[in-house]
Amino acid sequence: MKPVVKKSALAGIVVTGIAVASAMAAEEAALNVGEVNVYSYRQPFLVQPLFDAFTEQSGIKVNVLFAKTGLVERLKQEGANSPADLIFTVDIGRLSEAYNASLTQPVTSPALTAAIPDIYREPAGNWYGLTRRARIIYASKERISPEEAPKTYEELADPKWAGRICTRSGNHVYQVGLTAAMVAHHGEAKTEAWLKGIKANLARKPQGNDRAQVKAIREGECDIALGNHYYYVLMQQNEEQSAWAQSVYPVFPTIGDTGTHVNISGMALTKASPNQDNAVKLMEFLAGPLAQQMYAEQNYEYPILDGVPETGVLKAMGPMTSDTLPLADISEHRSAAIKLVDKVGYND
Ligand code: FE
């Protein structure tokens, strides 16, 4: 099934004017009532197989509008006339952004609350996690022995790592999530000291994406990097990047003595949802065993439903125990985290 909305139409949403208005009218006609309409930050090829399976089982058609940015703003702009039923995100930041802007509504569903542990959903049901994404340490095989490698995020601030760490921008949602988790565990003062400590240990100015940090290890620029766990698998599958992956090994650090910081990909029912019954059916399907297994296999992420087997590649990376603090609590510290990143001049 092809997404009904074309990318070219989306290009208009960041600007204003007549061209936008006509593009939006065309899209509204395409996103039909009686089906289910998803605004997705998650790439179509990752979610389409799940939607196809849902349609096969339920007979309900799923229309997807994908964009890398701007979907929350778009929901705001469309208000009560929005055709969107669900919003899909790849991190907690955007979910809480939609929730805080009152663009979501609570879903009460025994199936969802049974499937999704309470630490991975908003208490009233305004958003639900679907998969877990661990933020891990990548360590140089050549230059760091497993005994020596840091076992906690806190240790990254230790001066013994001076000049040896690489990270991406402190303002990126993945880094903000981790910093917010530090605030949730240790408070702002300790987190500020931690950020200063890591900044002092950086081998270079924060830059690039997660994979670029591992590349920098391969090239000898640094010995330790932070990145999401699934890039380890994705790099191995990439001709150019497999050498980068082979130069490192993954470490699953703990935070505040609990477990590894995880972010979630997740979903929320929009406040204006015109097809609520269908939307909730899709949410329940995605939290169920079939979709959870498909999702984990397709994306190399950790399922959220208990009892779904981890894929072989994840097992090979080693055991993962995740942080036990509720993501809803962590996300409340996101703005404090962003302020601290600026305060210490992390990216300067
Ligand atoms: Fe990613």
Side-chain angles (χ1 to χ4, degrees):
M1 181 176 41
K2 271 193 321 207
V4 177
V5 179
K6 295 198 179 68
K7 262 192 177 171
S8 57
L10 271 177
I13 67 171
V14 291
V15 295
T16 54
I18 292 163
V20 181
S22 59
M24 304 250 293
E27 281 168 41
E28 266 164 49
L31 289 168
N32 294 319
V33 171
E35 299 176 349
V36 55
N37 304 322
V38 177
Y39 282 7
S40 177
Y41 284 110
R42 178 122 250 188
Q43 294 176 63
F45 79 93
L46 293 174
V47 283
Q48 199 57 52
L50 296 164
F51 294 159
D52 290 346
F54 171 71
T55 303
E56 200 174 298
Q57 197 177 88
S58 66
I60 299 165
K61 194 174 166 232
V62 183
N63 306 302
V64 190
L65 188 151
F66 164 74
K68 271 192 161 171
T69 55
L71 291 175
V72 170
E73 292 72 17
R74 186 189 176 105
L75 282 178
K76 257 184 228 171
Q77 207 176 46
E78 291 171 342
N81 297 320
S82 175
D85 297 297
L86 293 169
I87 179 157
F88 276 51
T89 78
V90 292
D91 88 298
I92 181 67
R94 295 256 169 70
L95 278 179
S96 24
E97 204 187 321
Y99 169 51
N100 292 334
S102 300
L103 297 168
T104 63
Q105 58 173 308
V107 174
T108 327
S109 153
L112 286 177
T113 45
I116 301 173
D118 53 7
I119 59 170
Y120 301 125
R121 51 184 154 90
E122 194 280 319
N126 276 284
W127 51 256
Y128 289 88
L130 277 175
T131 58
R132 292 173 297 156
R133 309 146 69 84
R135 192 132 189 93
I136 64 170
I137 289 173
Y138 289 101
S140 164
K141 267 185 197 165
E142 237 175 56
R143 299 182 294 277
I144 297 187
S145 71
E147 297 74 46
E148 192 197 354
K151 310 291 183 297
T152 69
Y153 299 98
E154 288 84 346
E155 279 175 68
L156 295 173
D158 191 312
K160 77 174 176 194
W161 300 115
R164 300 178 74 185
I165 300 178
C166 281
T167 78
R168 71 191 304 163
S169 160
N171 289 111
H172 186 268
V173 287
Y174 296 164
Q175 286 294 117
V176 170
L178 175 60
T179 305
M182 286 299 285
V183 176
H185 280 280
H186 300 300
E188 290 187 28
K190 277 194 179 164
T191 303
E192 184 180 339
W194 176 75
L195 278 173
K196 273 188 191 152
I198 298 186
K199 180 180 161 54
N201 290 341
L202 292 179
R204 60 177 191 179
K205 209 172 135 156
Q207 59 194 273
N209 57 19
D210 280 3
R211 298 187 212 212
Q213 315 310 316
V214 178
K215 179 176 188 245
I217 293 181
R218 157 88 179 169
E219 289 170 352
E221 242 185 301
C222 37
D223 299 337
I224 289 174
L226 281 167
N228 281 359
H229 79 277
Y230 49 86
Y231 290 117
Y232 189 61
V233 183
L234 295 177
M235 286 186 292
Q236 283 169 349
Q237 295 172 348
N238 179 297
E239 208 183 319
E240 185 199 355
Q241 299 169 358
S242 66
W244 309 351
Q246 279 158 28
S247 74
V248 296
Y249 59 93
V251 177
F252 291 87
T254 61
I255 187 166
D257 295 326
T258 60
T260 299
H261 168 65
V262 295
N263 207 317
I264 49 169
S265 75
M267 57 186 177
L269 182 67
T270 66
K271 190 167 240 170
S273 165
N275 309 294
Q276 287 185 27
D277 290 351
N278 290 348
V280 173
K281 276 182 199 151
L282 176 57
M283 291 174 91
E284 290 172 344
F285 173 81
L286 293 172
L290 172 69
Q292 282 285 305
Q293 181 142 12
M294 284 177 71
Y295 217 155
E297 276 168 13
Q298 171 105 15
N299 298 0
Y300 311 113
E301 294 178 28
Y302 294 94
I304 225 149
L305 177 67
D306 232 14
V308 174
E310 269 171 26
T311 53
V313 282
L314 292 193
K315 270 200 196 129
M317 287 178 72
M320 201 282 282
T321 309
S322 34
D323 184 5
T324 50
L325 272 193
L327 255 286
D329 294 351
I330 291 172
S331 71
E332 277 173 21
H333 298 288
R334 289 186 73 258
S335 51
I338 293 167
K339 276 186 200 138
L340 289 176
V341 166
D342 289 342
K343 194 176 170 190
V344 307
Y346 189 84
N347 298 317
D348 301 343

